[in-house]
Amino acid sequence: MEYELTSDIIEKYMKAGKAVAHALKLSYQIARPGTNMGDLAKVLEDDILAQGAEGLAFPANLGINHIAAHYSPVIKEQQVLPEHGLLKIDLGGHVDGYVADAAVTINLGNDRGIYSDLIKAAKDALYTAISLAKPGVNIRTIGAAIQVEIEKYKDLTPVSNLGGHRVSRWDLHGSPFIPNVGSGLENYILKEGDQIAIEPFSTNGYGAIRNGKEITIFEVKNIHKKKNLPQIERIRLKKFKEKFGAFPFSPRWVDFIPEEKVNDVILKYYRQGILQGYNVFVERAQGLVAQHEHTLLITKEGAIPTTWWEDFDYHKLWQ
Ligand code: MN
Ligand code: MN
């Protein structure tokens, strides 16, 4: 699905982006060792909504160290942020279905250089990618540039099987996949009006992720799969569809089932194929992972990051 970027659509993208950017900026002030991860996710998700997003595009992803993505705090989360380590915060919101998807990595302390290198590598790579993302540029060129930036740092490499993606109305992950390496087979030329997210991941590990066992993020997949369900089940499934039909959700958000039953109900629907689950992504060699991400609108002059939270003017990145 593709859309022309009208001023009305741009405004919605910018509004969603501004809300996510605000929450990311806030995260630098409130993410501290000892902070309960469930509390942190809730504060950030609430902030996205308070700042003008109409809804969340996915649950707050909080990835510690070798967890690259897809961990969102669970109901009654017990984990707190560690004394040292890398915390990736990946947040999403939407206005009228137009998505903002962006991420930062925060150094929780005591790094001996490696944490800040991983963060700088991911950030450099993202800024280079933004500077290149213009009509006429092949996404393979962007992937290659991301790899070069990350590999300028000793012992660091990109995560090759994660990458950016198209965003469009009510659609978080469209194709093309935007690679973080130069060796892939992707072949797509950016054009004016494209709406994409770019997300370089740097690691000192193997350079790829695998699926972990845990699933903390779900999405409504096929609500009509089951016929002849009792009425209570049908009503329940209708609620899942109404509340979470468009985007991935967290069991934390299910407020129409008693809290102590939510996980069992979700597990049942997952096993029945009604819900889809997103496994946690773990670095294959347990390497540390950093990530930075922005959502971009591709204009004639250059890429406009809708989720810009940085203190300098992004126009400086335009070449
Ligand atoms: Mn993201
Ligand atoms: Mn993304």
Side-chain angles (χ1 to χ4, degrees):
M1 226 183 320
E2 300 193 10
Y3 291 91
E4 203 186 336
L5 271 182
T6 63
S7 58
D8 175 56
I9 293 174
I10 292 173
E11 209 173 290
K12 288 170 178 172
Y13 268 119
M14 297 311 285
K15 194 175 177 192
K18 207 176 157 193
V20 167
H22 188 277
L24 287 175
K25 206 158 183 177
L26 175 67
S27 70
Y28 281 94
Q29 291 159 30
I30 61 175
R32 293 279 176 273
T35 304
N36 177 283
M37 288 173 64
D39 294 346
L40 179 59
K42 172 104 174 69
V43 169
L44 297 175
E45 288 167 354
D46 287 350
D47 190 63
I48 294 170
L49 297 173
Q51 295 297 323
E54 287 172 4
L56 300 170
F58 53 86
N61 283 221
L62 303 181
I64 307 281
N65 295 340
H66 63 284
I67 307 294
H70 291 178
Y71 183 80
S72 190
V74 298
I75 291 169
K76 292 193 173 19
E77 177 66 62
Q78 297 299 306
Q79 288 183 83
V80 300
L81 297 179
E83 284 301 317
H84 7 149
L86 281 176
L87 169 65
K88 289 162 293 299
I89 301 184
D90 194 335
L91 302 175
H94 77 87
V95 170
D96 195 25
Y98 295 99
V99 171
D101 175 10
V104 299
T105 300
I106 293 175
N107 181 349
L108 294 171
N110 289 0
D111 71 27
R112 296 189 199 104
I114 184 68
Y115 298 160
S116 49
D117 273 4
L118 281 154
I119 291 170
K120 277 192 276 172
K123 235 192 228 186
D124 289 356
L126 177 59
Y127 294 163
T128 297
I130 292 172
S131 77
L132 292 171
K134 276 188 284 203
V137 174
N138 197 313
I139 54 170
R140 230 166 31 200
T141 309
I142 293 176
I146 287 171
Q147 180 168 13
V148 166
E149 287 301 327
I150 291 174
E151 291 180 352
K152 280 180 186 168
Y153 290 83
K154 191 174 173 282
D155 299 329
L156 301 192
T157 192
V159 175
S160 63
N161 56 352
L162 290 178
H165 48 91
R166 187 187 297 283
V167 296
S168 46
R169 195 175 186 210
W170 303 114
D171 186 13
L172 179 60
H173 283 144
S175 74
F177 172 79
I178 300 175
N180 288 331
V181 292
S183 55
L185 298 171
E186 295 81 10
N187 189 15
Y188 175 82
I189 312 273
L190 289 175
K191 60 181 191 327
E192 191 181 344
D194 276 343
Q195 305 129 48
I196 58 173
I198 294 188
E199 46 186 314
F201 289 77
S202 59
T203 182
N204 62 349
Y206 180 82
I209 54 94
R210 61 172 173 80
N211 274 347
K213 275 207 184 104
E214 202 171 6
I215 301 176
T216 62
I217 298 170
F218 294 86
E219 188 168 351
V220 174
K221 190 177 165 193
N222 193 354
I223 226 92
H224 303 295
K225 196 167 177 167
K226 287 271 155 185
K227 305 279 180 213
N228 309 319
L229 289 171
Q231 194 182 14
I232 181 171
E233 293 277 334
R234 266 185 295 147
I235 291 169
R236 213 184 241 167
L237 286 171
K238 212 175 143 210
K239 283 194 177 148
F240 273 99
K241 181 86 181 166
E242 278 167 11
K243 292 200 87 163
F244 311 126
F247 294 118
F249 68 92
S250 164
R252 290 181 284 111
W253 301 352
V254 179
D255 58 4
F256 48 88
I257 298 173
E259 193 182 71
E260 65 278 9
K261 289 187 181 166
V262 170
N263 285 332
D264 289 344
V265 170
I266 284 178
L267 187 62
K268 187 178 81 178
Y269 291 153
Y270 170 69
R271 287 184 175 147
Q272 290 175 344
I274 291 169
L275 296 178
Q276 172 184 358
Y278 292 93
N279 290 70
V280 166
F281 286 155
V282 184
E283 213 289 322
R284 272 196 205 170
Q286 301 277 106
L288 297 164
V289 181
Q291 168 206 21
H292 274 257
E293 177 177 22
H294 275 301
T295 296
L296 311 175
L297 304 179
I298 305 300
T299 73
K300 236 179 253 156
E301 294 78 28
I304 299 177
T306 65
T307 46
W308 196 249
W309 52 266
E310 289 88 333
D311 289 328
F312 69 96
D313 181 358
Y314 64 79
H315 290 94
K316 286 184 183 155
L317 301 174
W318 290 6
Q319 292 175 339

